[in-house]
Amino acid sequence: MAKKKILQQVARKLIIRSNPKSFVSEQYRTLRTNINFSMPKGELQTVLVTSASPGEGKSTTASNLAVAYAQEGKSVVLVDADMRKPTSHYTFHVTNTLGLSNLLTRQSTLDETVKETGIEGLQIITSGPIPPNPAELLTSIQMDVLIQELKKDYDMIVFDAPPTLSVTDAQVLSNKCDGTIFVVSSKETNKDNALKAKELLISAKAHILGVVINNFELSKEHNYYQYYGTQE
């Protein structure tokens, strides 16, 4: 019973699927639109989502953004590139026996590893077993090869990366992606940490598309009481 409760807490809420007409779902669609407009020539195909620290909502944002693109009619794959504390397999209720770590060590093929999510147009590559060297795997030639393979098969690839200040993984992967979304939690994210994370991403030559603010409380004049609430 305790284990089930823990898994429920880890799973991110796919509000854009469960309540598509809600204010929050509309904000995810707005995020999708803003990302599209940020690259008017249409060259955006790979997006990385990260945050400064744990608990700011980057995994929730990555999952809902992936669903938003699928609902637009695109073929999408969500890649759980957090090979340290993965969670996407809980969110989409799939197994994590084979995943990104298997692909990067050539222990499985893409066809064997990609999983259906139950959402039309959206597939997922979970993290796979946690490896001893995540950053090294992300910098490998095999990672470059995988990205090129995914670009042939999907319109949009969304990467859920670890927090930027925790490890170097997000910096490494941001350099390989067309754009990066930086997630912060209103009233909780430390300003100095956010600025430091931004500097690290810029030094990695990441193309930061913008910032998503979570847990933002609207004024009483609005009909909606809270923008979003989540635990990373």
Side-chain angles (χ1 to χ4, degrees), residues 93-138:
H93 306 288
V94 296
T95 62
N96 195 30
T97 307
L98 293 177
L100 182 60
S101 60
N102 302 97
L103 285 171
L104 298 181
T105 53
R106 301 181 183 182
Q107 295 177 352
S108 68
T109 65
L110 194 56
D111 288 340
E112 292 172 334
T113 310
V114 173
K115 301 175 181 68
E116 297 295 334
T117 63
I119 298 172
E120 185 177 358
L122 177 61
Q123 294 182 309
I124 186 173
I125 297 175
T126 60
S127 70
I130 297 175
N133 56 340
E136 287 78 4
L137 291 180
L138 292 175

Side-chain angles (χ1 to χ4, degrees), residues 33 122 132 164 172 189 206 218 220:
T33 300
L122 177 61
T164 303
V172 169
T189 300
L218 296 170
K220 293 181 180 179

Side-chain angles (χ1 to χ4, degrees), residues 51-58 163-166 182-183 189-190 193-194 197 232:
S51 58
S53 307
E56 297 182 271
K58 54 94 179 171
T164 303
L165 295 183
S166 302
F182 189 59
V183 180
T189 300
N190 180 281
N193 285 346
E232 182 65 31

